[in-house]
Amino acid sequence: MSFLSKLFSRYDLNTLDGINSIPIKASNITYNGQSTPMYYALQRKATEHDKNGNIDLAIACLRKSNEISDSFVRIPLLEKDYLRLVKYLEKSGDLELAKKEKENIYNNHPEFLDKSIISARLIQETVKNAKRYNNDLIILSSSKNCPFCKNYNKKIYSISGKSKKYSILPDNILKGGVCKEHTVNAFIYNK
């Protein structure tokens, strides 16, 4: 019995009904003492089905994986993981459904097309945590190669503006992020 066969003994991942019956809140499966996230396990199973020529089962696994990921506050899957579903639909020859699925993915996750959306969330979360720990400084981390982002890489800002050494965090960065092409992250800065 293969690793995946043992892993999925609780669920029937070899039928469409079995895959579709997996609950959206099925977050982890335990196997040999290790917890494996269901969304990740479904991604692996989709690859196995594809290699075995079972594209319909692969598509069902990817669709369920995306649904499970969407149930998280912070989605665990990356854009490329979500778009595997589109790739497999195209491979199956259903180009119209692939196009619709791609539109749905980008409608549900506009941050995939505009990285400033996720950047703003990350910066806001860091500011909130810094305030909780009575720290007034944050440092940004961004792409060194982007002509726009590189201006913010390793730049330190004061949240309150009370620092004489560091400038206040601009409101447009806090609310709108920095760059549509790259994610800019923020960290609490300790002198």
Side-chain angles (χ1 to χ4, degrees):
M1 188 179 265
S2 75
F3 167 76
L4 286 176
S5 297
K6 289 178 185 175
L7 181 66
F8 294 119
S9 61
R10 224 172 113 184
Y11 301 101
D12 180 8
L13 294 184
N14 294 312
T15 65
L16 291 175
D17 287 340
I19 295 165
N20 291 331
S21 70
I22 297 170
I24 298 301
K25 295 296 181 182
S27 57
N28 291 336
I29 295 176
T30 302
Y31 178 74
N32 284 346
Q34 292 185 337
S35 184
T36 301
M38 178 58 88
Y39 59 85
Y40 174 72
L42 283 161
Q43 292 275 329
R44 290 183 63 195
K45 189 67 175 178
T47 301
E48 182 181 305
H49 282 312
D50 181 46
K51 286 180 183 175
N52 293 331
N54 299 319
I55 194 72
D56 290 341
L57 293 175
I59 289 168
C61 284
L62 293 173
R63 188 177 305 284
K64 184 59 74 168
S65 175
N66 289 0
E67 289 173 6
I68 292 171
S69 179
D70 283 343
S71 73
F72 286 78
V73 173
R74 256 188 153 173
I75 60 167
L77 292 179
L78 302 173
E79 178 182 10
K80 67 182 177 105
D81 300 321
Y82 275 90
L83 291 177
R84 286 184 72 205
L85 175 57
V86 174
K87 179 181 156 189
Y88 280 38
L89 287 167
E90 290 170 345
K91 187 175 182 176
S92 77
D94 197 340
L95 301 181
E96 188 61 35
L97 185 56
K99 181 181 175 184
K100 286 180 184 176
E101 195 62 47
K102 187 173 187 178
E103 288 173 8
N104 287 339
I105 289 168
Y106 285 128
N107 284 336
N108 291 335
H109 300 285
E111 69 274 13
F112 291 160
L113 294 174
D114 183 350
K115 304 294 190 238
S116 66
I117 295 170
I118 192 69
S119 296
R121 287 185 203 150
L122 293 169
I123 294 167
Q124 290 165 8
E125 188 176 307
T126 300
V127 167
K128 181 180 170 184
N129 289 332
K131 287 179 179 178
R132 186 171 4 143
Y133 294 115
N134 296 320
N135 194 321
D136 187 49
L137 302 176
I138 65 166
I139 185 169
L140 299 183
S141 172
S142 64
S143 170
K144 299 175 210 168
N145 301 322
C146 173
F148 188 71
C149 289
K150 71 180 180 182
N151 297 323
Y152 298 95
N153 192 41
K154 297 184 180 178
K155 183 106 183 205
I156 301 167
Y157 289 101
S158 167
I159 297 167
S160 68
K162 294 178 183 175
S163 172
K164 293 180 181 179
K165 187 173 179 182
Y166 302 107
S167 59
I168 190 168
L169 177 66
D171 203 39
N172 64 321
I173 290 176
L174 183 61
K175 291 182 180 170
V178 175
C179 177
K180 291 181 182 256
E181 298 293 319
H182 304 99
T183 302
V184 175
N185 208 338
F187 302 94
I188 296 171
Y189 182 75
N190 294 311
K191 297 182 204 180

